[in-house]
Amino acid sequence: MAQIGKTLLGSGWLAARSTEVNEDGDQLTTTNPPSIGPQSPWIEAVVPGTVLGTLLKNKSIPDPFYGLENETITDIADSGRDYYTFWFFTRFHCKRLLNQYVHLNFRAINYSAEVYVNGHKIVLPKGMFRRHTLDVTDILHPDSSDNLLAVIVHPPDHPGSIPPQGGQGGDHEIGKDVAAQYVEGWDWICPIRDRNTGIWDEVSISVTGPVRIIDPHLVSTFYDDYERAYLHVTADLENKSTWNADCSVNIQVTAELENGVCLVEHLHTENVLIPARGNIQHTFKPLFLYKPELWWPNGMGKQNLYDVLITVVVKEFGESDSWMQPYGFRKIESDIDTVTGGRLFKINGEPIFIRGGNWILSDGLLRLSKERYRTDIKFHADMNMNMIRCWGGGLAERPEFYHFCDVYGLLVWQEFWITGDVDGRGDPVSNLNGPLDHELFLLCARDTVKLLRNHPSLALWVGGNEQVPPKDINEALKKDLRLHPYFTTHLLSDQESDPSVYLDGTRVYIQGSMWDGFADGKGNFTDGPYEIQNPEDFFKDTYYKYGFNPEVGSVGMPVADTIRATMPPEGWEIPLFKKVSDGFVEEVPNRMWDYHKYIPYSKPGKVHDQILMYGVPDNLDDFCVKAQLVNYIQYRALFEGWSSQMWTKYTGVLIWKNQNPWTGLRGQFYDHLLDQTASFYGCRSAAEPVHVQLNLASNFVEVVNTTPKELSDVEIEASVWDLEGNCPYSKVFNKVSAPPKKVVKISEFMYSKSENPKPVYFLLLKLYHASDKTVISRNFYWLHLPGKDYTLLEPYRKKQIPIKVTCNAVNVGPEYELEINVHNTSRADLAKSALQDDGKRDVGLLQKLFSKFGGTEDINRGLKVVETEGTDPGVAFFLRFSVHNPEAEKQDTRILPVHYSDNYFSLVPGESMSFKISFAAPTSMKKPPRVMLRGWNYPDGFTVFG
């Protein structure tokens, strides 16, 4: 018997522009299959992918994300749709046996297509976000010879044009189709010239027996404080045969233990009779589980996942089909908070304070992969975020995206394909009634729900961005996505249908991103702002009026290496600083930065240039380093400001936005090449579940406890370090406690009001257990007195601060894991000018803490040790690791992505920190990778490994 299951068709594809192909689909899949040759229009294709992705792979176009190269690529508005209408062709083997059935599956195509298999034509209907399943059983070759598959893919019907001034969604014509709207360009991305035309998601062949399983729905209900759980399952079962199928349908629930050992939690079988050529919806008897391990979002607990396997066995045939889904037992509730007016989410009964960000998509050319998704989502978890919003002008994200959100604990807000800019609220106003085909929109929406509904990370559906869908669509979605009564009453009566019968029924549907607990709740434009802010403003009660801000954004300059890697030398010029009225400065960027949507670090009339706070930059490297200083402060303050008023004013905030799907220069925590900016680590610090922070508006030290556990018997140490390496102030706050899910104001930080405070200084806050001094939260600030700036840090660069680095590395093949300890070996007079309230200094505590953090003891004897020369006492400021390929011939030698446990860090005298670094080196690289450490005091850097 041929193997039951799915086979991906992800390689061996060819492509050609339709106007250059003389054969039709029948000929291509019978007598004249294409091949690559000197006179042939056919080239290697990228499937899944887009036309532009294929052209770029073959170097038929320049990289549209490099410099201004996108301006040299023909736009579909100028060429017409035929120019980006392409044929795609491949061959595949599939030998089937008697009573086996074969389906050809396209998980998504943009926008419409005709499919030819061995000379047989099948027309695929329109829509970017729908699956296509084609029964090709009777048209496949019966033997093991090649089956020929050709697909002609047409672009969206209304690709639109790009006005000279650009704009949000170009001329908005794309909104007439059910497709991604960002492709006409936005204020954060250039236009995508082919409008993402292509076979952009996976293609597969599936072999089944007479009965196949379609779209099972898994729902869990809970009782007795989550001790009792029931798994509800409904699935469509289709009988392809001409005889009644007597089936045994089996469900197996398995938990993976340590070392790959699996424990079967439940095994259940039911007998079903399916009529010939029939399709039935079968609901199983609920499966009981006692105390299942619950799935929790990032920062609240473990992301426990069970494997749910459904198999169908047909009498006198055997196993006919199987379906498997990793599944998390969890309950999500959402309502409007009565205190703040913001939307409140509860997971397994516990309120969760939302700190996350907005997501467009991984790549603007739809070069999507499991590896890229894994990195993207792990980056979000590493930042201690707990929610990602999939913005309505982008994609219905793919199952692989959701899988890694399940694995790493990121809740997902998924919007449908409506935006205010394109659908009725933009300039010019257009598409007042949304897409032309409302039934197509609803078909795509329902199919998307079926595709994604079993993922525990999926938290809510939203009708659109800054807009609600047209009335008939909105009402249909409200009806289709209504909650099952159990999820409002917490009771499951005998009169109610099983919750797994619903299309979803387990999570809320909100009609728009500024309605019903988001922004002002009424749809007015009350999200934002999207520009540089004074860091202290984030803490002020007047900064934002409403309980949950779905979009607030700021700057996003990457490091200099990224600029050089993504732009020619004319793009390396830094902005001009133009003086305007009232002492403010306007930044004037070069044309390439402007094209890549650069957000300035100044806002004349409101915010003084934050880069000039550190002095006028000399060159690109200097500019980018100073930009990272601003990035760190900006985004740490944003999250800390919201956290400071957790549950009293706010229920959550989402940053606009977490990353760019191209080489943009705004709103990002890591760039398109996957190198993290300093804002990544500022966010990581601010969003940790238990966090000590300085309120920049009130100057109070605060402890934020987002967890359900009380924090007791802890202490806080606040120490100030000056530019001479002295500690003129330190204070210990004893007997601190923080109730669950509360913010506690500890005491005012008084150094700036003390006698002769330094104009620029460093503040180190540490929250630790009193019993053993184990650190819970560490937070490092650089600060200046009111009315001052950071220009004194410029001469501080010349300080030669001695540091010692020990490194231990383990690698298996290309995979590397490094453990690195960095120790500031300088010491200063700790007793100088340091007073507590009682006039005494606790020098002993500082010494104990530094000893606890590593001290000078060489615990890594025998490992690779690097020590820098230097005799100056002081803070080793703003240190940053990077990993490089020593064999790289190109200018950019970085190995990306790299996962760092922390980066952009500073060490006070005597302090040490340990780090973990993991990455995959290029498989062709023979020499060990080189790990560099750079910093404010070490601009050229030095090698710590390799």
Side-chain angles (χ1 to χ4, degrees), residues 614-877:
Y614 297 89
V616 179
D618 297 328
N619 50 40
L620 178 65
D621 290 281
D622 193 24
F623 181 92
C624 289
V625 168
K626 289 172 177 173
Q628 299 315 310
L629 290 164
V630 180
N631 289 347
Y632 193 103
I633 291 177
Q634 183 79 179
Y635 285 99
R636 177 178 60 182
L638 193 161
F639 265 167
E640 287 185 340
W642 248 268
S643 298
S644 181
Q645 300 191 69
M646 175 179 71
W647 306 128
T648 58
K649 184 175 175 63
Y650 302 128
T651 60
V653 61
L654 299 176
I655 293 176
W656 182 268
K657 50 198 173 1
N658 297 351
Q659 47 74 251
N660 277 299
W662 78 305
T663 51
L665 300 180
R666 64 166 58 199
Q668 58 187 357
F669 293 109
Y670 57 95
D671 60 44
H672 191 57
L673 305 184
L674 299 178
D675 197 358
Q676 300 96 327
T677 68
S679 55
F680 184 106
Y681 298 97
C683 169
R684 175 182 172 83
S685 171
E688 57 187 347
V690 177
H691 181 63
V692 62
Q693 65 184 38
L694 180 67
N695 186 310
L696 298 180
S698 69
N699 229 32
F700 267 71
V701 175
E702 300 172 339
V703 174
V704 179
N705 181 10
T706 67
T707 75
K709 297 180 180 179
E710 181 174 4
L711 196 64
S712 59
D713 192 29
V714 296
E715 296 178 345
I716 298 172
E717 187 220 8
S719 60
V720 169
W721 300 83
D722 63 23
L723 300 185
E724 286 73 46
N726 298 314
C727 180
Y729 174 98
S730 75
K731 183 175 179 61
V732 176
F733 303 98
N734 298 302
K735 298 180 180 180
V736 173
S737 64
K741 303 183 185 303
K742 294 289 186 182
V743 180
V744 179
K745 297 186 185 303
I746 304 301
S747 179
E748 186 175 3
F749 173 57
M750 300 297 293
Y751 174 71
S752 61
K753 298 179 180 179
S754 65
E755 187 176 353
N756 298 321
K758 300 299 177 70
V760 176
Y761 57 94
F762 305 110
L763 169 65
L764 178 61
L765 297 177
K766 286 182 176 176
L767 173 70
Y768 54 90
H769 291 289
S771 57
D772 60 3
K773 304 298 186 288
T774 301
V775 174
I776 303 167
S777 173
R778 176 190 183 277
N779 204 351
F780 181 87
Y781 295 84
W782 51 102
L783 300 165
H784 62 77
L785 295 180
K788 303 294 183 180
D789 57 29
Y790 294 113
T791 53
L792 287 177
L793 287 174
E794 188 66 36
Y796 187 72
R797 280 177 158 173
K798 298 178 181 179
K799 291 274 189 176
Q800 300 294 308
I801 313 297
I803 59 176
K804 178 180 179 180
V805 182
T806 57
C807 179
N808 182 28
V810 175
N811 77 288
V812 177
E815 302 288 336
Y816 281 79
E817 290 191 5
L818 280 66
E819 293 187 0
I820 298 179
N821 182 271
V822 184
H823 181 199
N824 180 344
T825 57
S826 74
R827 290 282 184 175
D829 180 7
L830 297 180
K832 184 177 181 180
S833 303
L835 297 176
Q836 290 187 343
D837 291 346
D838 60 0
K840 296 181 180 179
R841 172 162 181 81
D842 193 347
V843 179
L845 174 66
L846 282 172
Q847 293 173 338
K848 289 177 185 176
L849 282 174
F850 294 148
S851 176
K852 184 70 181 177
F853 304 145
T856 59
E857 182 183 359
D858 188 0
I859 59 175
N860 295 303
R861 190 176 294 110
L863 303 179
K864 181 176 176 62
V865 179
V866 177
E867 295 188 66
T868 65
E869 296 181 358
T871 58
D872 293 328
V875 171
F877 183 52

Side-chain angles (χ1 to χ4, degrees), residues 566-580:
T566 58
M567 295 181 185
E570 50 267 41
W572 303 353
E573 295 294 325
I574 65 176
L576 298 174
F577 296 98
K578 178 182 176 182
K579 292 184 178 180
V580 294

Side-chain angles (χ1 to χ4, degrees), residues 54-67:
T54 288
L55 294 174
L56 181 60
K57 174 185 173 65
N58 290 274
K59 299 183 180 179
S60 300
I61 58 170
D63 184 348
F65 297 167
Y66 182 84

Side-chain angles (χ1 to χ4, degrees), residues 122-157:
I122 307 169
V123 177
L124 297 189
K126 300 173 183 179
M128 185 175 179
F129 304 110
R130 65 186 300 179
R131 294 170 293 172
H132 306 274
T133 299
L134 313 176
D135 187 341
V136 295
T137 304
D138 296 332
I139 59 180
L140 298 186
H141 295 312
D143 53 21
S144 59
S145 60
D146 281 348
N147 294 286
L148 306 184
L149 168 63
V151 186
I152 184 169
V153 180
H154 303 278
D157 291 347

Side-chain angles (χ1 to χ4, degrees), residues 151-311:
V151 186
I152 184 169
V153 180
H154 303 278
D157 291 347
H158 302 88
S161 60
I162 315 304
Q165 72 275 17
Q168 313 291 77
D171 65 357
H172 307 155
E173 281 292 291
I174 194 69
K176 294 179 178 178
D177 297 330
V178 183
Q181 297 182 355
Y182 78 92
V183 292
E184 282 201 65
W186 225 267
D187 61 3
W188 43 264
I189 195 170
C190 65
I192 306 299
R193 301 305 186 188
D194 69 344
R195 307 297 189 263
N196 282 160
T197 299
I199 306 172
W200 68 275
D201 201 358
E202 70 173 34
V203 184
S204 66
I205 288 288
S206 56
V207 178
T208 69
V211 175
R212 68 188 190 106
I213 303 167
I214 305 173
D215 292 331
H217 187 199
L218 311 179
V219 175
S220 46
T221 57
F222 302 93
Y223 305 90
D224 299 338
D225 197 24
Y226 296 89
E227 287 197 353
R228 289 191 301 125
Y230 290 89
L231 177 63
H232 305 259
V233 182
T234 294
D236 287 342
L237 302 173
E238 181 185 22
N239 181 4
K240 303 289 295 186
S241 73
T242 57
W243 36 273
N244 295 342
D246 189 358
C247 306
S248 296
V249 188
N250 311 301
I251 301 181
Q252 178 177 294
V253 182
T254 308
E256 183 173 341
L257 306 179
E258 295 181 359
N259 302 319
V261 177
C262 293
L263 174 66
V264 178
E265 296 278 354
H266 212 294
L267 185 60
H268 177 73
T269 300
E270 295 186 5
N271 295 320
V272 179
L273 184 66
I274 308 175
R277 301 291 189 189
N279 188 312
I280 68 169
Q281 185 181 74
H282 180 70
T283 300
F284 293 82
K285 178 182 177 181
L287 280 62
F288 172 72
L289 290 92
Y290 180 65
K291 288 187 176 180
E293 297 290 336
L294 300 179
W295 183 94
W296 293 95
N298 188 33
M300 292 187 73
K302 293 182 179 180
Q303 290 75 53
N304 296 295
L305 294 172
Y306 292 75
D307 287 338
V308 178
L309 174 65
I310 303 176
T311 57

Side-chain angles (χ1 to χ4, degrees), residues 484-485 491-499 502:
H484 185 278
L491 298 173
L492 190 58
S493 67
D494 295 335
Q495 288 74 37
E496 295 292 344
S497 59
D498 188 278
Y502 277 47

Side-chain angles (χ1 to χ4, degrees), residues 539-607:
F539 295 84
K540 295 177 179 177
D541 193 58
T542 56
Y543 182 72
Y544 188 70
K545 292 174 60 175
Y546 308 106
F548 194 120
N549 193 343
E551 297 182 15
V552 56
S554 190
V555 291
M557 192 66 191
V559 298
D561 284 342
T562 292
I563 295 296
R564 294 192 180 96
T566 58
M567 295 181 185
E570 50 267 41
W572 303 353
E573 295 294 325
I574 65 176
L576 298 174
F577 296 98
K578 178 182 176 182
K579 292 184 178 180
V580 294
S581 59
D582 299 325
F584 288 94
V585 168
E586 177 186 354
E587 291 184 13
V588 183
N590 66 60
R591 184 183 172 216
M592 285 188 192
W593 287 25
D594 192 52
Y595 190 79
H596 287 253
K597 315 298 185 180
Y598 172 76
I599 285 185
Y601 283 69
S602 65
K603 179 67 175 176
K606 183 179 179 182
V607 182

